[in-house]
């Protein structure tokens, strides 16, 4: 079975531009979470979607938005890019909604976004 | 508030045992997870503790003490290939599914 897949793997944008990152969860997984990881730090929670509904949102500005499609794939959109948005964006899927006991996240390899 | 603390670096030799500690402060805590990440790739789940005590999975064990807000990851029979970053992550109720990750511990295994 394929793991969590993300595209693109690398992306270079300039300040003010908009970007869309894509994620396909493991087959059968209905929950997708997005995390931002800045070099040298741990991942920071951005969103969780389950059954196409937003279940949680981290402390990120409204420039960040996401959605989940009927096939459970997901997109993360970031508008008006800032230099500080440069990071590794990780998508993770799970079979159940995160926020309960014993959930296990399966991460993709991420999209490395560079904002110049 | 919510916070996690883990050492930034740990060094050990092949064949040895190493312990990576994690202390946390969060309300609504329900469990502590450990993830491994190599060179900024995909974090990989290692272990989860929802109850006090020790969980063992092969060469890896993880421990939790809720009363002390403390846990650790124990790696035995260290191998060079264990040289990765290790993150503890706290789950809390009513956080919308957020896992709070620590800053990560860079483990270096020397020959």
């Amino acid at each position: 079975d394929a793991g969590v897949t993300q595209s693109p793997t690398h992306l270079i944008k300039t300040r003010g531009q908009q970007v869309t990152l894509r994620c396909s969860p493991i087959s059968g997984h209905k929950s997708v979470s997005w995390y931002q990881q800045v070099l040298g730090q741990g991942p920071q929670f951005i969103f969780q979607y389950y059954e196409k509904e937003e279940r949680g949102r981290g402390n990120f500005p409204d420039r960040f938005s996401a959605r989940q499609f009927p096939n459970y794939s997901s997109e993360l959109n970031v508008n008006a890019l800032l230099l500080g948005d440069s990071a590794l964006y990780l998508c993770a899927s799970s079979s159940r909604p995160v926020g309960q006991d014993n959930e296990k996240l399966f991460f993709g390899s991420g999209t490395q976004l560079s904002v110049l | 508030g919510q916070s996690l603390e883990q050492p930034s670096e740990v060094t050990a030799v092949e064949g040895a045992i190493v312990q990576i500690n994690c202390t946390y402060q969060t309300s609504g805590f329900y469990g502590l997870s450990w993830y491994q990440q190599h060179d900024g790739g995909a974090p990989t789940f290692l272990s989860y503790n929802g109850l006090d005590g020790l969980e063992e999975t092969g060469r890896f064990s993880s421990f939790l003490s809720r009363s002390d807000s403390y846990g650790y990851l124990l790696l035995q029979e260290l191998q060079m290939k264990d040289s990765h970053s290790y993150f503890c992550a706290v789950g809390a109720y009513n956080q919308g599914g957020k896992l709070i990750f620590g800053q990560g511990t860079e483990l270096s295994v020397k020959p």
Side-chain angles (χ1 to χ4, degrees):
Chain A
D1 282 342
V4 177
T5 58
Q6 293 187 241
S7 63
T9 55
H10 294 83
L11 203 52
I12 299 175
K13 292 286 188 178
T14 57
R15 281 181 301 173
Q17 285 189 311
Q18 174 264 341
V19 68
T20 299
L21 311 180
R22 295 176 175 82
C23 172
S24 292
I26 290 172
S27 177
H29 284 191
K30 300 179 179 179
S31 175
V32 169
S33 300
W34 287 95
Y35 283 80
Q36 180 197 65
Q37 187 176 23
V38 174
L39 190 63
Q41 297 184 16
Q44 287 207 322
F45 175 76
I46 310 176
F47 287 108
Q48 186 200 183
Y49 276 77
Y50 180 75
E51 289 279 19
K52 303 180 286 296
E53 291 190 1
E54 182 182 304
R55 286 295 192 98
R57 184 188 181 107
N59 188 24
F60 281 80
D62 291 343
R63 299 185 296 107
F64 289 76
S65 64
R67 54 180 175 169
Q68 186 176 34
F69 299 99
N71 66 353
Y72 304 111
S73 67
S74 178
E75 286 182 351
L76 175 70
N77 294 283
V78 187
N79 294 322
L81 285 167
L82 303 174
L83 296 180
D85 296 330
S86 294
L88 179 68
Y89 289 85
L90 294 162
C91 172
S93 76
S94 57
S95 56
R96 301 180 298 165
V98 182
Q100 306 172 9
D101 286 338
N102 202 23
E103 79 282 327
K104 175 180 175 179
L105 290 182
F106 295 83
F107 282 89
S109 296
T111 295
Q112 184 64 55
L113 172 65
S114 298
V115 182
L116 306 179
Chain B
Q2 300 169 331
S3 66
L4 272 80
E5 287 192 17
Q6 57 179 124
S8 58
E9 295 179 345
V10 171
T11 301
V13 296
E14 269 189 305
I17 300 172
V18 73
Q19 178 173 313
I20 300 174
N21 298 321
C22 176
T23 58
Y24 61 87
Q25 182 177 6
T26 187
S27 57
F29 171 88
Y30 66 74
L32 184 70
S33 303
W34 289 90
Y35 286 81
Q36 178 192 71
Q37 187 179 36
H38 181 61
D39 279 349
T44 304
F45 175 86
L46 291 177
S47 186
Y48 172 82
N49 293 77
L51 301 173
D52 283 0
L54 193 68
E55 292 285 339
E56 298 180 81
T57 309
R59 294 189 298 117
F60 296 86
S61 303
S62 59
F63 173 82
L64 175 66
S65 169
R66 286 172 168 265
S67 59
D68 295 323
S69 298
Y70 163 77
Y72 65 72
L73 178 70
L74 194 73
L75 295 85
Q76 303 182 71
E77 301 173 14
L78 280 175
Q79 303 173 12
M80 299 284 286
K81 68 176 183 179
D82 295 327
S83 295
H84 296 307
S85 293
Y86 293 84
F87 294 89
C88 58
V90 160
Y93 293 111
N94 302 317
Q95 293 292 322
K98 174 172 69 174
L99 287 187
I100 304 158
F101 282 80
Q103 299 271 58
T105 298
E106 185 71 31
L107 173 62
S108 296
V109 180
K110 308 291 187 184

